[in-house]
Amino acid sequence: MIGDPHETAKRLIAQDRVEGVSAQEREWLDRHLSECKDCERLAAGTDRAIALLRTVSISVPADLAERARLRVDLRTQEVDERRRWWWLPWTACTVSWAIGIVSAPYVWRAFSWLGHEAGVPTLVWKAGFALWWAAPALFAAGALLWERWDLPWYRTR
């Protein structure tokens, strides 16, 4: 064993009572306890403390398990209800992006026509097209944030 043998013995005494030690460590600890009275007293005191703790009676309410199960069931229902709601934003995003991809060339032409025929500056009509493309994503992000945050003026619970 490396280091202070008394510190090693303290660690092994605690480890032996909780999770066990290897045969080699057990042999070293037994040899050390037979030679060191301080460590032997520590081991005996640890054994007495564990024995006293095992005699302590802790009373719990008879319906504790039932109440815990009920809480878990309620939380499961709450999570399921939220999960059922998620199909709506995912469907809306999918449809929105599909429509956006299919209609992008036509909308580009419409914005381009507006820019050329109405004299709208190029930067403005291109920014308008970018906003048209980004609007569904911004609305979806807003809806998700709305659901995520517990807004004081909008309570769903």
Side-chain angles (χ1 to χ4, degrees), residues 77-143:
Q77 288 174 358
E78 181 182 324
V79 168
D80 286 346
E81 287 174 18
R82 283 187 179 216
R83 194 172 292 141
R84 274 187 239 123
W85 180 86
W86 279 98
W87 72 270
L88 183 62
W90 282 111
T91 303
C93 285
T94 303
V95 169
S96 169
W97 281 99
I99 291 171
I101 290 169
V102 170
S103 66
Y106 305 112
V107 174
W108 178 263
R109 283 191 208 129
F111 275 95
S112 175
W113 176 85
L114 183 66
H116 295 306
E117 296 299 321
V120 175
T122 304
L123 182 62
V124 173
W125 71 261
K126 285 184 178 180
F129 177 78
L131 285 175
W132 167 84
W133 184 264
L138 294 173
F139 284 124

